[in-house]
Amino acid sequence: MICRIVERPIDVQALAAQVEEAEAGAVCTFAGLVRNHSRGQRVTHLEYQAYREMAEKKLRQVADEIAERFGVTRLAIEHRVGVLRIGDVAVGIASASAHRDAAFKACRYAIDRIKQVVPIWKKEFGEDGAVWVEECAVEAPPAREPGRPEN
Amino acid sequence: MQVRLKCFAWAREVTGEEEISVEIPEGGTVADLRARLEERFPVFAGRMESIAVSVNQEFSGDKARIRPGDEVALIPPISGG
């Protein structure tokens, strides 16, 4: 399992090679690319920032969820930070499993959960200036009452 | 008690620092931290509902206690992927 925040270009085929194994008849990859437009505005480039330690921890949490839900343990996720240009890979995911269904589901679940729980932010730079994009406000799980055991 | 608070994205631009120090009472909670932040940076006041707080790298509700040495961060709405 690979769960990394990186500052270099992401090679999705290299991630796929990391998860391939003889028992896996299916390998799925997902690449999230920097797009040249957003909400009707031209985008010239992006800057990604991460709370690196927590982001990698949350990526591992997502990987654990995928293992539990889909039985997929051959998984690689990389998210890039820093300045990215149009067409650069911002996030790369590769999953491998015996059959295709679980591999597809693992990739889809991974990108959806990254957008919900992993502390990474993008700043869009366009002709009218720059703005931090705010897509998902994270809610804390319900607080446990003090003194009550966890269960 | 001094809390070292990591700031990211929009929150980093508001505070002007990657990490700031915030004084809360001994045994204080995330709610205490939020109240002190709103006093110091009024622009947070209208935005607090959308900003999460993590304690030791877990999203934590307002009742969560903050202990000396805890790693605490402000998490504005995320936009990875």
Side-chain angles (χ1 to χ4, degrees), chain B residues 16-80:
Chain B
E17 305 279 353
E18 292 185 15
E19 194 172 291
I20 61 171
S21 188
V22 182
E23 176 77 24
I24 66 167
E26 292 293 330
T29 64
V30 167
D32 295 319
L33 176 73
R34 289 183 187 277
R36 296 307 307 268
L37 276 174
E38 288 183 1
E39 287 168 19
R40 187 157 145 199
F41 303 99
V43 66
F44 276 133
R47 298 289 312 273
M48 265 305 174
E49 276 196 5
S50 70
I51 300 176
V53 172
S54 67
V55 179
N56 298 329
Q57 300 175 9
E58 289 298 335
F59 296 108
S60 298
D62 281 355
K63 292 178 183 169
R65 293 213 180 284
I66 299 173
R67 295 175 175 82
D70 278 350
E71 182 177 319
V72 186
L74 281 183
I75 314 281
I78 58 176
S79 50

Side-chain angles (χ1 to χ4, degrees), chain A residues 30-150:
Chain A
F30 173 82
L33 311 187
V34 178
R35 199 174 43 220
N36 71 354
H37 62 96
S38 175
R39 291 171 299 248
Q41 302 287 317
R42 280 191 61 78
V43 172
T44 57
H45 64 285
L46 296 182
E47 180 189 336
Y48 279 93
Q49 189 182 95
Y51 177 2
R52 177 187 294 271
E53 301 81 5
M54 183 172 173
E56 291 186 337
K57 179 178 177 178
K58 289 289 161 187
L59 287 176
R60 291 193 296 272
Q61 175 192 313
V62 170
D64 289 344
E65 291 171 9
I66 286 169
E68 192 173 320
R69 283 171 178 252
F70 311 116
V72 173
T73 56
R74 306 285 298 178
L75 185 72
I77 307 173
E78 286 184 342
H79 200 301
R80 188 173 171 189
V81 293
V83 174
L84 276 71
R85 304 287 162 186
I86 306 304
D88 283 349
V89 178
V91 58
I93 302 168
S95 62
S97 62
H99 303 285
R100 66 185 182 281
D101 189 47
F104 272 121
K105 284 177 174 163
C107 260
R108 177 62 194 253
Y109 185 87
I111 185 62
D112 288 350
R113 288 292 278 161
I114 285 168
K115 289 172 174 286
Q116 292 170 345
V117 299
V118 181
I120 299 173
W121 299 267
K122 66 174 157 236
K123 191 174 194 177
E124 285 176 353
F125 290 78
E127 286 150 353
D128 297 330
V131 61
W132 284 105
V133 180
E134 302 196 337
E135 285 175 345
C136 182
V138 185
E139 287 187 22
R144 291 185 300 273
E145 292 299 322
R148 283 176 58 184
E150 292 181 36

